Amino acid sequence: MPENRRFLLRRRPDGEPVREDFALVTQQTPVLADGQFLIRNHYASLDPAMRGWMDDAESYMPPIPLDNPVRASTIGMVEESRAEGFAPGQWVMGLNGIEDYSVGMVGGFTQPIDPAMVPQVTNYLSLFGAVGMTAYFGFFDVCEPQKGETVLVTGAAGAVGSIVGQLAKIAGCRAIGIAGGPEKCARLTGRYGFDAAIDYRGKDEAALTHAIAQAAPDGVDIIFENVGGIILDAGLTNLNLHARVGLCGLISEYNTPPRGARNLWQLIVNRASIRGLLVADYVARFGEGAAKMAPWAASGQIVIDEHIDEGIENAYDAFMRLFAGTNQGKMILKLT
Ligand SMILES: NC(=O)c1ccc[n+]([C@@H]2O[C@H](COP(=O)([O-])OP(=O)(O)OC[C@H]3O[C@@H](n4cnc5c(N)ncnc54)[C@H](OP(=O)(O)O)[C@@H]3O)[C@@H](O)[C@H]2O)c1
């Protein structure tokens, strides 16, 4: 069996992950049992949620066991098989680990995919994967947009946020995005079609609240929240009557003790709602979401950016881009 380089979680990060929390080791791939197949992983999706899986905390998924590969959605090709339906050469996608080879089994999380159905096979990790489905179902199902409403998207230049802004425009809404730095803000309006962009860097809560009020003089009807902290609080202060807040992520709190939202009173004042969303709830409807988004992608109404770093030895640096904000689009690690 081939040698397998594996990016292991060695210890649980205390705050921001450091290099020493991980180790790159080489091990033998196991001998396959009946019903199993060997996957050569080509691409791993790097997602902010992986930070939460590294903690020993109760969540929607068990923690990554120590000395196991860091869990990630991967795309790969079946190399050997003792399983019906998974012939060598078949492209597959699954929730595996950051490693050269993973073992899949019939009835597990790994499913066949058809690269001919998408412009790039990596699109299964972006627009046509969990990211795109988070944006699609999070926006349409959880936020229930109406034509003419104002939508505020935080983390707007990222994988999920950039798609939500474009969906908001397709839904006939006004889209305002918040992102870090002038370059990302220029991309929001220039590439993704947001009506206005706000650079949060260097702004305290009062300045952010003011900037949102200027960009949304008639108030905000929907917040698609990816960040939390003072950015969420500034958004809450600008809510309209019966506004909806779709709580998708809180990335500003993943490496620090949660600060929490302090302006929840605004939900009462405005009879507004806040609702958490988890893309895993929509797995059975992914086909529906993909069918809706395919023509928008084909016509250029939705563009998707993928930031692909190469080499398993760069897994740590690539993952940390998500927290430094140096990823320009969906963060993916190429393993082959
Ligand atoms: N609920 C679900 O099912 C679900 C599914 C997928 C993703 N999510 C959530 O969606 C959010 C976005 O995920 P993504 O995959 O699209 O990642 P992403 O936005 O492509 O990358 C993360 C971005 O977050 C921003 N960021 C990082 N630390 C920050 C901080 N302290 N304050 C403000 N912004 C910060 C950075 O952009 P800037 O340069 O603009 O700071 C960074 O580029 C995350 O919160 C993630 O957990 C939730």
Side-chain angles (χ1 to χ4, degrees):
M1 300 299 278
E3 288 195 330
N4 191 12
R5 290 173 306 158
R6 315 181 88 196
F7 181 63
L8 304 187
L9 181 66
R10 274 288 191 228
R11 64 181 188 200
R12 307 225 172 264
D14 180 13
E16 188 154 296
V18 295
R19 216 172 280 279
E20 294 71 32
D21 295 331
F22 309 92
L24 186 61
V25 302
T26 302
Q27 298 174 343
Q28 291 295 312
T29 50
V31 174
L32 295 180
D34 280 344
Q36 291 185 331
F37 51 95
L38 188 68
I39 307 156
R40 175 67 171 106
N41 290 316
H42 286 235
Y43 298 97
S45 175
L46 301 180
D47 296 291
M50 291 157 64
R51 174 62 190 88
W53 304 341
M54 293 172 191
D55 288 337
D56 190 11
E58 204 165 306
S59 184
Y60 58 91
M61 219 176 245
I64 301 168
L66 291 180
D67 295 326
N68 272 41
V70 171
R71 184 190 296 137
S73 295
T74 55
I75 288 177
M77 199 181 270
V78 175
E79 189 146 305
E80 290 181 39
S81 180
R82 293 183 63 180
E84 216 171 298
F86 293 91
Q90 167 73 57
W91 281 94
V92 291
M93 182 166 123
L95 191 60
N96 289 303
I98 302 180
E99 54 186 353
D100 288 333
Y101 294 93
S102 299
V103 175
M105 67 180 83
V106 174
F109 282 118
T110 303
Q111 296 299 328
I113 53 170
D114 182 358
M117 297 292 287
V118 289
Q120 312 279 340
V121 73
T122 49
N123 295 167
Y124 279 110
L125 298 179
S126 57
L127 192 61
F128 297 108
V131 156
M133 299 307 132
T134 303
Y136 181 83
F137 290 108
F139 184 58
F140 287 110
D141 243 48
V142 175
C143 298
E144 300 180 331
Q146 300 293 317
K147 198 170 174 197
E149 288 190 320
T150 296
V151 179
L152 178 68
V153 185
T154 70
V160 173
S162 61
I163 301 172
V164 173
Q166 295 174 84
L167 293 176
K169 293 309 297 176
I170 288 169
C173 299
R174 182 173 152 74
I176 299 164
I178 302 184
E183 261 177 52
K184 284 196 178 180
C185 285
R187 230 172 66 222
L188 291 186
T189 50
R191 181 158 168 78
Y192 304 132
F194 282 79
D195 296 286
I198 297 167
D199 180 358
Y200 73 83
R201 291 195 195 271
K203 290 190 178 65
D204 61 12
E205 186 183 327
L208 274 169
T209 304
H210 180 67
I212 296 167
Q214 279 195 316
D218 297 327
V220 170
D221 302 295
I222 290 172
I223 300 178
F224 193 99
E225 186 58 51
N226 286 317
V227 173
I230 62 168
I231 293 181
L232 172 57
D233 271 336
L236 292 178
T237 308
N238 282 283
L239 287 186
N240 280 337
L241 199 65
H242 300 142
R244 283 87 65 209
V245 180
L247 195 55
C248 177
L250 296 163
I251 195 166
S252 69
E253 303 190 335
Y254 292 176
N255 290 321
T256 55
R259 168 193 181 275
R262 295 181 182 163
N263 290 338
L264 293 178
W265 176 248
Q266 293 302 321
L267 296 174
I268 298 170
V269 172
N270 293 297
R271 280 79 98 199
S273 64
I274 186 163
R275 194 177 138 197
L277 72 101
L278 189 63
V279 68
D281 293 345
Y282 293 96
V283 169
R285 293 178 62 191
F286 273 20
E288 172 194 334
K292 280 278 190 199
M293 298 227 275
W296 294 330
S299 67
Q301 272 180 291
I302 291 186
V303 294
I304 179 78
D305 288 313
E306 296 177 348
H307 185 137
I308 303 182
D309 279 355
E310 285 195 29
I312 195 169
E313 64 281 5
N314 296 317
Y316 170 77
D317 293 307
F319 178 60
M320 292 309 290
R321 282 183 183 281
L322 295 169
F323 303 102
T326 54
N327 63 310
Q328 311 286 343
K330 173 69 196 111
M331 193 66 226
I332 294 171
L333 186 66
K334 189 171 190 290
L335 297 170
T336 43

